[in-house]
Amino acid sequence: MRAAADILRQHRLPVTAQRVAVLSEVSRRPHATADEIAEGVRVELGSISRQSVYNVLTVLTDKGIIRRIQPADSAARYEDRVGDNHHHLVCRACGHTQDVCCAKGHAPCLTAHDHHGFAIDEAEVIYWGLCPACQRKPKR
Amino acid sequence: MRAAADILRQHRLPVTAQRVAVLSEVSRRPHATADEIAEGVRVELGSISRQSVYNVLTVLTDKGIIRRIQPADSAARYEDRVGDNHHHLVCRACGHTQDVCCAKGHAPCLTAHDHHGFAIDEAEVIYWGLCPACQRKPKR
DNA sequence: AAAAGATTTTGACATTGTCCAAATCACCGG
DNA sequence: CCGGTGATTTGGACAATGTCAAAATCTTTT
């Protein structure tokens, strides 16, 4: 992946330390929450306000540089991998999130046959289950 | 649908006015949020505490009597229709939610081909777009 | 180097939920 | 039909995740 600063410039976004750090963090640790990203950025930058993390994540999402996913029972998560058709595997126990390719290329069954007049622009798929680690833990 | 009280008894749940009212409301108005349900129940019962609405919704969900769905950017919504394999169409603008049958019967493509060791128990699909009404409104 | 405009910060506030203890209610047995 | 008992409901505090707005600071550009 190109340097964060270049990506920002390419999108005509003023390059600030906060933006570079947040984007790098999203790239380094996919599927992290805003809070986790803030922590990671603080290691690098010393500090960043909570609001700035949200500001940056919002502008990056709006530009299509990153993607926001919001599984149930979890704060929003962000990822760097955009533009391809991939979905997610989420662990019900620990929230661990993993990318999965769409099962059948162009998702034959992801076009609702009766769309009730909706103008559909995205089919979001989340597979729920237990990750390998949580399967081994004693049930609660 | 059977009377709410019967359903509760069938699941060995003590029948309370709050439970009957909440369950009826979920049944009458599918995809409502906890807050909307509370409002509806108050019309019938005069009052109900916020906590009770959550308590009832939780116990009904745990018993499998209702289902909770949590689309991004929305409070959790509840529905009465359980046990069948249906998904949702959600309007990005107004949040209006509509049921849709799975496009291909038993969802051939809803088994991720590489599940990374996860024990998958559900494939959740949400189609995002604009509902007919919001398509007609001026863009924001 | 300075001006102009955008970004960051700070602190308050909103929404959705959860926790806990006290009061109340539903159901069972006598 | 009436208590007793255990479950449910309530009220109030609290937590997590975001958003809003205004002042301070930084990036870019001239």
Side-chain angles (χ1 to χ4, degrees):
Chain A
M1 158 185 170
R2 288 161 307 171
D6 288 342
I7 296 176
L8 293 171
R9 268 186 284 266
Q10 202 151 30
H11 286 267
R12 307 289 139 85
L13 289 173
V15 176
T16 67
Q18 290 85 345
R19 283 177 175 167
V20 170
V22 167
L23 179 48
S24 303
E25 188 64 21
V26 170
S27 184
R28 184 148 51 78
R29 184 151 49 131
H31 310 131
T33 62
D35 228 47
E36 290 165 349
I37 291 165
E39 281 172 36
V41 168
R42 288 195 184 106
V43 171
E44 228 180 295
L45 246 51
S47 79
I48 189 173
S49 69
R50 202 161 61 101
Q51 185 61 58
S52 290
V53 174
Y54 281 110
N55 287 347
V56 173
L57 290 172
T58 299
V59 75
L60 294 179
T61 301
D62 289 348
K63 290 288 184 178
I65 298 170
I66 62 176
R67 176 147 87 107
R68 170 191 283 129
I69 57 179
Q70 296 172 257
D73 301 315
S74 158
R77 293 172 183 276
Y78 297 84
E79 65 186 355
D80 175 66
R81 191 174 153 190
V82 294
D84 67 346
N85 181 6
H86 78 272
H87 299 302
H88 297 96
L89 221 38
V90 181
C91 178
R92 288 193 191 278
C94 70
H96 175 63
T97 304
Q98 170 104 221
D99 289 339
V100 282
C101 293
C102 182
K104 303 244 175 158
H106 273 291
C109 78
L110 291 185
T111 303
H113 65 200
D114 182 357
H115 57 43
H116 297 275
F118 273 59
I120 298 174
D121 63 54
E122 181 189 352
E124 174 185 14
V125 182
I126 296 183
Y127 297 97
W128 292 95
L130 289 179
C131 69
C134 290
Q135 285 174 52
R136 286 192 294 274
K137 286 176 193 159
K139 67 177 182 305
R140 280 174 301 179
Chain B
M1 157 184 170
R2 289 159 307 171
D6 289 342
I7 296 177
L8 293 171
R9 268 186 285 266
Q10 203 151 30
H11 286 267
R12 309 288 138 86
L13 288 173
V15 176
T16 66
Q18 290 86 344
R19 283 177 176 168
V20 169
V22 167
L23 179 47
S24 305
E25 188 65 21
V26 170
S27 184
R28 183 149 51 78
R29 184 149 51 129
H31 310 131
T33 61
D35 227 47
E36 291 164 350
I37 292 165
E39 281 172 35
V41 168
R42 289 195 183 106
V43 171
E44 228 180 293
L45 247 49
S47 79
I48 188 173
S49 70
R50 203 162 61 103
Q51 185 60 59
S52 289
V53 174
Y54 281 110
N55 287 347
V56 174
L57 290 172
T58 299
V59 75
L60 294 179
T61 300
D62 288 349
K63 290 287 184 179
I65 299 170
I66 63 176
R67 177 146 86 107
R68 170 190 285 130
I69 58 179
Q70 295 172 258
D73 300 316
S74 158
R77 293 171 184 276
Y78 297 84
E79 66 185 354
D80 176 69
R81 192 175 153 189
V82 294
D84 67 346
N85 181 5
H86 79 271
H87 299 302
H88 297 97
L89 221 38
V90 180
C91 178
R92 287 193 192 279
C94 70
H96 175 63
T97 303
Q98 171 103 221
D99 288 339
V100 282
C101 294
C102 182
K104 304 245 175 155
H106 273 290
C109 78
L110 290 185
T111 303
H113 65 197
D114 181 358
H115 57 45
H116 297 276
F118 273 59
I120 297 174
D121 62 55
E122 181 188 352
E124 174 184 14
V125 181
I126 295 183
Y127 297 97
W128 291 95
L130 288 179
C131 69
C134 289
Q135 285 174 52
R136 286 192 293 274
K137 285 176 194 157
K139 69 179 181 305
R140 281 175 299 180

